[in-house]
Amino acid sequence: MIGRCFIFVMALCLAALSADAGRRVQVLDGTDGAPLAGATVIDKSGVILGITDGDGLITVASESSFPVTVRCVGYEPVESSGDVVRMEVAALPLNELVVSLGDRPIKRVLCFAREYSSGIAGADTMLYYCEYMAEAFIADGKVKGYKSHDAKPCAKAYKRYARIVKQGQDSVFRPRTGDDVADLSWFDFMAFLPSEKVELPDALRGGADADTVHGKYGPQFIYRRKNGVFSKTADVLSNHKDRKWSPFIFKLLGITVDIDAGSWTMTYADNDQGQYGINDFISGTYNIHLIGRGKWIKKLFGTKLPVEMSTYLELCPVEITNCTVAEYKEMTDDFTRLPFRYPDSLRPLSPAVQQLVEQVDSLRPEK
């Protein structure tokens, strides 16, 4: 009798574990069936579920998350309710070559960016979406008067949208500068442009499709050359013990932040030289997942519970021009709002985010 009860209890436990395990979704290249690592998966409500692993896999815990939207640099975004998602290669228009003249040694790079952020605290959720126009300056070698920190994109225009569901109450609104929700942006922390040349690894020169460089605790860089595109993907936690990072700077702000996932991918138009720089740059994507605690988190979400947050950022140049040192200094001192310009390669928003944009714009159009 005891044995039968034990078996019955074990069966119930296994059933519960199976129910909680969720569905394993795999993202594949629709052309050759290769797994796509680093694809971002977003549930039907706009919450970022995470990124796929080296085998293109991710676990979706709840059936209510489907259909999911999958985004991966170099591929068309796709919505799916299945366990296998096949993505088609995107036709990416290439940037025009910029001729660098001797007296115009600094490149001005205008960029369009999209940021998707979601947070979960117990049963409460937050969805934040923002579009940016940004400006950066990259020098050709050493240039007197140039400051290297200007290579980092500086946002010069914003379009912000937010939804918070708290205790069953759903509110949509447009955050303004200084709002707690607007402060959730990770653009300044995450976005960067390739300011130096990237060399094609020897394995790829020899004909391989991919090459991996290992860090202390896992793969650090993955290089790929496929479909006329060269890409470099980095795992920012590959040299952090236990694959966690708690930046001290956040503690000064009254926040404890444990980053347990983070990656970025730079894509370039392929060439015969095997060197890639800003003139070849197509786009960058950046991912981060963290668990936050502290007074700011408590104020925003009204909870003492830890908050899980995920952010996915897409950035691509819309114009690259050369300028003199004098022009560069004049433009870096100009804080005029930039007009929005959208790249030809712009992909559709996920359905939940598109719905949020339409709702907020109907309430208060962007000025």
Side-chain angles (χ1 to χ4, degrees):
M1 181 68 178
I2 295 177
R4 290 181 180 177
C5 289
F6 176 77
I7 293 172
F8 178 70
V9 170
M10 286 298 295
L12 288 178
C13 291
L14 289 173
L17 287 172
S18 298
D20 292 337
R23 284 167 56 183
R24 295 277 278 174
V25 174
Q26 187 172 37
V27 181
L28 304 175
D29 184 308
T31 304
D32 59 13
L36 293 179
T40 298
V41 181
I42 305 170
D43 80 359
K44 69 178 184 182
S45 64
V47 173
I48 299 171
L49 300 177
I51 61 176
T52 56
D53 62 18
D55 296 318
L57 291 166
I58 185 172
T59 298
V60 179
S62 173
E63 287 291 331
S64 63
S65 296
F66 292 92
V68 296
T69 300
V70 183
R71 303 183 77 92
C72 185
V73 64
Y75 293 84
E76 296 286 356
V78 64
E79 187 177 358
S80 176
S81 297
D83 293 337
V84 177
V85 181
R86 298 184 184 275
M87 303 194 73
E88 298 301 322
V89 176
L92 296 174
L94 307 181
N95 303 316
E96 292 186 7
L97 262 180
V98 178
V99 178
S100 181
L101 305 177
D103 61 344
R104 307 180 73 81
I106 299 175
K107 292 181 173 65
R108 181 194 188 212
V109 186
L110 293 182
C111 303
F112 171 80
R114 284 172 162 176
E115 180 180 13
Y116 307 77
S117 291
S118 61
I120 302 175
D124 299 336
T125 61
M126 181 278 302
L127 174 60
Y128 175 65
Y129 171 68
C130 189
E131 295 180 353
Y132 304 88
M133 278 302 299
E135 180 181 56
F137 297 88
I138 297 176
D140 295 331
K142 292 183 178 180
V143 177
K144 186 176 181 180
Y146 170 76
K147 298 177 181 178
S148 58
H149 62 74
D150 287 326
K152 186 167 178 58
C154 176
K156 292 291 188 73
Y158 309 83
K159 290 184 180 180
R160 299 186 177 107
Y161 307 84
R163 163 176 277 126
I164 291 181
V165 180
K166 184 180 293 186
Q167 297 178 349
Q169 299 297 312
D170 188 346
S171 61
V172 298
F173 57 98
R174 187 185 302 283
R176 296 300 183 186
T177 301
D179 290 351
D180 290 331
V181 173
D183 288 340
L184 289 173
S185 171
W186 285 80
F187 179 86
D188 292 336
F189 182 79
M190 295 171 64
F192 69 93
L193 290 172
S195 56
E196 298 180 354
K197 293 276 188 181
V198 179
E199 293 282 342
L200 189 69
D202 290 340
L204 272 64
R205 289 183 185 273
D209 289 334
D211 187 30
T212 300
V213 176
H214 288 272
K216 193 171 182 181
Y217 300 106
Q220 183 175 13
F221 299 112
I222 299 176
Y223 300 89
R224 293 185 177 89
R225 193 183 197 186
K226 192 175 182 181
N227 301 320
V229 174
F230 169 73
S231 67
K232 179 181 180 181
T233 298
D235 182 339
V236 300
L237 299 178
S238 60
N239 290 319
H240 289 271
K241 189 176 181 180
D242 299 325
R243 299 186 56 76
K244 288 187 178 180
W245 177 32
S246 302
F248 180 74
I249 188 172
F250 291 108
K251 295 181 180 179
L252 300 177
L253 303 174
I255 313 167
T256 298
V257 172
D258 296 323
I259 299 174
D260 56 9
S263 65
W264 54 258
T265 298
M266 300 280 112
T267 60
Y268 306 84
D270 200 5
N271 62 50
D272 295 332
Q273 290 73 43
Q275 285 190 336
Y276 308 89
I278 190 62
N279 288 343
D280 311 293
F281 182 59
I282 297 174
S283 65
T285 59
Y286 319 78
N287 290 275
I288 192 169
H289 178 270
L290 59 90
I291 300 174
R293 307 172 182 84
K295 59 183 181 183
W296 176 60
I297 296 292
K298 180 180 178 181
K299 177 184 176 183
L300 179 62
F301 285 90
T303 179
K304 294 182 180 180
L305 296 172
V307 176
E308 285 192 58
M309 294 197 64
S310 296
T311 296
Y312 169 67
L313 178 67
E314 301 172 335
L315 179 148
C316 58
V318 294
E319 181 180 272
I320 303 176
T321 56
N322 284 77
C323 59
T324 65
V325 173
E327 290 170 335
Y328 151 71
K329 291 181 177 180
E330 182 179 350
M331 285 186 283
T332 53
D333 291 335
D334 184 0
F335 296 98
T336 305
R337 182 183 175 102
L338 290 174
F340 270 86
R341 295 176 56 183
Y342 298 93
D344 295 335
S345 59
L346 193 63
R347 305 301 168 194
L349 296 171
S350 66
V353 175
Q354 182 63 47
Q355 183 184 45
L356 172 62
V357 169
E358 292 171 358
Q359 285 182 296
V360 174
D361 281 344
S362 68
L363 296 173
R364 182 189 288 181
E366 183 72 34
K367 294 181 180 179

